[in-house]
Amino acid sequence: MGMLSEGLTQVLIPAAALVGIAFALLQWYLVSKVKVSGDYSNGYSGKLIEEEEDGIDSLEVSIKCAEIQNAISVGATSFLFTQYKYLSVFMGVFAAIIFFFLGSVKGFSTKSEPCTYSQGKLCKPALANAAFSTLAFLLGALTSVLSGFLGMKIATYANARTTLEARKGVGKAFITAFRSGAVMGFLLAANGLLVLYISIILFKIYYGDDWEGLYESITGYGLGGSSMALFGRVGGGIYTKAADVGADLVGKVERNIPEDDPRNPAVIADNVGDNVGDIAGMGSDLFGSYAEASCAALFVASISSIGINHDYTAMSYPLIISSVGIVVCLITTLFATDLSEIRDVSQIEPSLKRQLVVSTILMTVGIAMVSFFALPSEFTLFNFGTEKAVKNWHLFFCVTIGLWAGLVIGYTTEYYTSNAYSPVQDVADSCRTGAATNVIFGLALGYKSVIVPIFAIAIAIYVSFSLAAMYGIAVAALGMLSTIATGLAIDAYGPISDNAGGIAEMAGMSHKIRERTDALDAAGNTTAAIGKGFAIGSAALVSLALFGAFISRAGINTVDVLTPKVFIGLIVGAMLPYWFSAMTMKSVGSAALKMVEEVRRQFNTIPGLMEGRAKPDYANCVKISTDASLREMIPPGALVMLTPLITGTLFGVETLAGVLAGSLVSGVQVAISASNTGGAWDNAKKYIEAGASEHAKSLGPKGSDAHKAAVIGDTIGDPLKDTSGPSLNILIKLMAVESLVFAPFFAAHGGLLFKFL
């Protein structure tokens, strides 16, 4: 037994979650003090505004900001509510499938069964596991939806406030955007932890000493979280990129008008898309990763000595790590908002990077304390039919290597996607000779950017597995996600800043204000790429941990790739990320085609639109994006959700193991290269537009041939970095957690096809 008592553990976990929620509400209150109205209660002096706005009527600007903010908020809310109606039907149908499949394992028996891992003991009936797994699935799905929705509401609340604060200076705008991101980060981390903790406490009322059944049913929580995240990421990604591509191709390339120009009919749909794709989708995605990493670690622990001996504190080790992570992220956030001040544009990106470093260093200390106080000095872990002796310091290294591997992936991603470094500058330089060379350089950059993250993931896997078997990999994934509140704050900051720049342009603010919001946005693009790197890296570790849990639960001792059953699964699994990417890319292309035609139609048929005398029909473009995303998200979602069910039922657990391994190995590479290629093209375009160096000035200005080539590259990269790339990490982990949840059925009744051959 560790030094931390059971009673103290039961207080510490919910207390940390409640502190996280309270801190999020405090940050929201501070953001709300910036008023989006015509009054001057937000602290501006008349003289300051006159100087900053060059004589532009500040009252009119504030009213315009409020109107634009309202249009974006209404559009995003409307889309999400429509999407959730579709998803509620899916939730009901899939919950019924879970109950039917798992209940049928023992013929819907209500009799207690001998435990699989605790020899000589009786466990709860299969029907109970079916019911509680279904309930956990619904709880995970609802928490995921809530995470995405709250993030979207906060982002649409903060975008215009960031724009208005930019009139005071870039430092004030940065703090508003970052605080808003922190609201989302802390709410998601705290809600995810609290709902999981309460679920375990309530499930334990029925399960009692049957921890094996309890934590097996809890895996449904991760399945619910990731299934919602898949549709959120794919649907939101198609929405935002259809609007973005349509707005850029017609507005910037054909009509030569600025980005976010109010004359562009797709501009509101574009800004709505930032919130439903990059905020709501990303929030659900990272919540899914956190839920699955926790569930994988808890399940493996439950079939090891700490679970069999009912050591509650050691069993709660993954939850205690998340609790400490919330406190560490709270301290880290103060460095950005209260302990230092941004005085210049050049300080934005270093400040955001400092958040990653500070949180990682503080979390390393926190992990050491938790490992020493919560775990016994020595215990055994389940290792594919054998027991592995492990010491508490082994677990410290497992979690820490996951944490630091995340930092390495983050910094590598930043190097390949930030325009402060040579890779993106080389891509920008290639625009001199047109779009073709830009595309070639961008693709090469994306492929090359895979190397360091893969080595980081490989080293983390080797060390953590060597020290603590599959449990080590699960807690390594949790280590990477332990600073999720800070990671999300940095990630959400990007789309909020992007929206703030769009509002400044549409409200007719001065060029100086737009320069400030552009600087915030450029840093946000890089941090968004860092966030995607974290999500993909953690997904690789999470899906491997879930894969190990699936192998254990399905009763397989080894996976032999030379067996035909396994190899066919391996090669088909490696193909799935390409099939999935093809679906999502084509969906964006089809939706963008309709958007381009609609934007062209409006420019050609609405008299006075280009001159600014007439208003475009924003609503029609919003409708095109909404209809396309809701229709097109179903086939990719069906591919991911049905593959494990069909493979496990028809071909059995060995072939399914091959599919999971193949999709993991292939999916991680494709996801990293797609995200980084798109991020590099985006920042190459921004590098030319900013004209901050002599080299950049030689490629510009906006509207030059090099700039047009950069816009084409950025447009190609949009679906790569915001739809296909981020969705692939959900594919690999969702198939793994679904296989784990359905493992009892596949082990009992799977492989129907091979039984008849």
Side-chain angles (χ1 to χ4, degrees):
M1 300 286 281
M3 295 184 185
L4 196 63
S5 69
E6 183 176 332
L8 193 57
T9 303
Q10 290 178 329
V11 171
L12 178 68
I13 296 168
L18 292 172
V19 165
I21 292 169
F23 185 72
L25 293 174
L26 172 64
Q27 297 302 305
W28 175 81
Y29 168 72
L30 292 171
V31 171
S32 71
K33 289 172 80 173
V34 180
K35 304 298 179 188
V36 184
S37 62
D39 63 43
Y40 298 110
S41 57
N42 49 2
Y44 301 118
S45 69
K47 185 182 177 191
L48 174 69
I49 292 174
E50 268 180 35
E51 287 174 3
E52 296 284 22
E53 289 291 346
D54 300 327
I56 293 171
D57 184 350
S58 58
L59 175 61
E60 187 184 334
V61 163
S62 288
I63 292 169
K64 272 187 183 175
C65 284
E67 287 174 357
I68 297 161
Q69 179 198 39
N70 184 59
I72 294 169
S73 181
V74 167
T77 306
S78 172
F79 169 75
L80 287 182
F81 274 130
T82 309
Q83 186 183 51
Y84 295 155
K85 283 179 190 173
Y86 283 81
L87 293 184
S88 62
V89 175
F90 162 78
M91 279 167 58
V93 171
F94 206 76
I97 291 171
I98 293 171
F99 182 76
F100 176 78
F101 271 61
L102 296 185
S104 66
V105 170
K106 298 289 183 181
F108 297 96
S109 168
T110 55
K111 292 179 182 178
S112 295
E113 300 284 339
C115 296
T116 308
Y117 303 98
S118 304
Q119 300 299 323
K121 292 183 180 178
L122 285 178
C123 286
K124 298 296 181 184
L127 190 63
N129 280 5
F132 280 96
S133 293
T134 304
L135 181 58
F137 166 77
L138 293 171
L139 284 170
L142 290 170
T143 310
S144 179
V145 163
L146 182 67
S147 300
F149 185 76
L150 286 176
M152 181 278 296
K153 294 304 284 184
I154 291 151
T156 54
Y157 183 81
N159 50 17
R161 286 169 168 80
T162 303
T163 307
L164 292 171
E165 284 291 89
R167 299 191 293 185
K168 284 181 175 180
V170 73
K172 297 288 186 185
F174 170 82
I175 287 173
T176 301
F178 189 81
R179 277 197 169 126
S180 308
V183 177
M184 179 185 178
F186 281 92
L187 274 182
L188 187 144
N191 281 339
L193 176 63
L194 193 60
V195 174
L196 181 56
Y197 173 76
I198 292 170
S199 301
I200 292 169
I201 295 295
L202 294 177
F203 282 23
K204 197 178 281 184
I205 295 170
Y206 171 78
Y207 276 100
D209 288 341
D210 179 13
W211 284 20
E212 187 182 305
L214 165 64
Y215 290 104
E216 185 179 313
S217 62
I218 281 291
T219 55
Y221 184 72
L223 175 59
S226 258
S227 57
M228 293 300 106
L230 174 70
F231 290 105
R233 264 293 196 194
V234 173
I238 293 168
Y239 185 108
T240 183
K241 291 305 111 181
D244 199 2
V245 170
D248 282 358
L249 280 180
V250 184
K252 286 158 75 172
V253 177
E254 294 181 8
R255 296 283 172 167
N256 207 22
I257 59 175
E259 188 166 359
D260 298 313
D261 192 295
R263 293 171 291 176
N264 195 323
V267 71
I268 292 291
D270 187 9
N271 282 284
V272 169
D274 290 336
N275 294 289
V276 299
D278 295 342
I279 295 281
M282 179 255 305
S284 293
D285 180 4
L286 283 176
F287 164 76
S289 289
Y290 163 74
E292 286 163 335
S294 302
C295 291
L298 290 168
F299 175 75
V300 176
S302 73
I303 59 177
S304 302
S305 65
I306 50 181
I308 293 167
N309 298 332
H310 296 98
D311 184 346
Y312 180 81
T313 301
M315 190 71 210
S316 301
Y317 180 68
L319 303 183
I320 300 170
I321 286 175
S322 300
S323 304
V324 172
I326 290 173
V327 177
V328 163
C329 291
L330 191 154
I331 297 165
T332 307
T333 301
L334 298 177
F335 278 87
T337 57
D338 296 271
L339 300 178
S340 63
E341 188 179 346
I342 301 290
R343 297 182 182 277
D344 185 63
V345 163
S346 61
Q347 295 176 322
I348 299 170
E349 206 167 302
S351 177
L352 293 168
K353 283 162 61 181
R354 198 158 50 242
Q355 287 282 297
L356 292 174
V357 178
V358 171
S359 63
T360 302
I361 292 169
L362 292 178
M363 193 63 209
T364 305
V365 177
I367 293 164
M369 293 168 63
V370 171
S371 301
F372 180 72
F373 288 113
L375 294 170
S377 57
E378 192 170 344
F379 52 98
T380 60
L381 289 169
F382 183 84
N383 184 25
F384 301 118
T386 62
E387 294 292 322
K388 184 178 179 67
V390 176
K391 292 182 169 60
N392 54 8
W393 61 266
H394 289 172
L395 270 297
F396 162 72
F397 279 111
C398 290
V399 183
T400 304
I401 197 164
L403 176 69
W404 283 89
L407 188 69
V408 169
I409 292 170
Y411 266 74
T412 305
T413 305
E414 189 232 1
Y415 173 73
Y416 280 105
T417 58
S418 170
N419 55 29
Y421 303 105
S422 61
V424 170
Q425 291 174 12
D426 289 345
V427 172
D429 191 66
S430 71
C431 295
R432 289 178 188 276
T433 49
T437 43
N438 180 27
V439 170
I440 292 166
F441 270 70
L443 288 172
L445 177 147
Y447 297 147
K448 193 176 179 184
S449 71
V450 170
I451 299 167
V452 175
I454 291 299
F455 274 115
I457 292 167
I459 292 166
I461 288 169
Y462 181 79
V463 172
S464 54
F465 187 84
S466 299
L467 292 174
M470 276 298 170
Y471 186 72
I473 292 172
V475 293
L478 213 54
M480 201 177 280
L481 292 162
S482 59
T483 54
I484 189 173
T486 294
L488 265 169
I490 292 170
D491 217 342
Y493 154 89
I496 291 168
S497 301
D498 192 0
N499 260 205
I503 291 170
E505 184 74 45
M506 285 186 275
M509 287 187 166
S510 67
H511 181 64
K512 191 183 291 184
I513 305 300
R514 183 71 220 224
E515 277 185 345
R516 289 172 183 170
T517 57
D518 277 352
L520 293 171
D521 182 25
N525 264 339
T526 302
T527 57
I530 291 171
K532 284 163 193 159
F534 264 97
I536 295 162
S538 63
L541 294 176
V542 167
S543 56
L544 183 58
L546 291 165
F547 175 71
F550 162 72
I551 296 298
S552 304
R553 186 63 190 87
I556 307 171
N557 289 327
T558 56
V559 179
D560 184 357
V561 294
L562 295 178
T563 308
K565 284 183 184 179
V566 177
F567 192 80
I568 60 169
L570 195 69
I571 200 163
V572 169
M575 171 272 296
L576 286 174
Y578 294 93
W579 189 0
F580 180 85
S581 297
M583 283 180 162
T584 51
M585 292 284 285
K586 191 176 179 187
S587 295
V588 172
S590 301
L593 196 65
K594 291 176 184 171
M595 187 67 75
V596 167
E597 288 170 350
E598 172 60 20
V599 175
R600 280 176 180 161
R601 183 194 67 78
Q602 291 198 32
F603 274 123
N604 292 331
T605 59
I606 298 176
L609 181 57
M610 270 302 286
E611 294 76 25
R613 297 195 312 271
K615 270 192 170 184
D617 182 1
Y618 297 127
N620 213 28
C621 291
V622 169
K623 185 176 185 302
I624 287 171
S625 265
T626 302
D627 292 346
S629 62
L630 294 174
R631 183 178 62 253
E632 299 285 353
M633 73 179 182
I634 296 168
L639 174 70
V640 178
M641 299 302 293
L642 294 177
T643 296
L645 287 178
I646 293 170
T647 307
T649 305
L650 296 181
F651 300 98
V653 289
E654 290 179 323
T655 304
L656 181 54
V659 168
L660 296 179
S663 64
L664 166 59
V665 171
S666 165
V668 171
Q669 329 277 340
V670 179
I672 294 173
S673 65
S675 294
N676 290 350
T677 295
W681 275 327
D682 194 351
N683 273 345
K685 176 199 71 176
K686 283 187 165 55
Y687 175 75
I688 294 171
E689 288 174 349
S693 66
E694 287 303 316
H695 177 241
K697 284 174 186 171
S698 71
L699 297 169
K702 286 183 181 181
S704 67
D705 287 343
H707 178 249
K708 284 182 178 178
V711 170
I712 291 168
D714 175 38
T715 308
I716 297 167
D718 276 337
L720 285 172
K721 73 179 172 69
D722 290 322
T723 310
S724 296
S727 302
L728 279 171
N729 69 71
I730 305 175
L731 174 142
I732 58 177
K733 64 190 181 184
L734 178 53
M735 291 207 306
V737 74
E738 187 181 341
S739 301
L740 172 59
V741 169
F742 286 97
F745 175 83
F746 297 148
H749 304 299
L752 294 177
L753 203 59
F754 287 133
K755 286 176 184 176
F756 294 108
L757 292 176

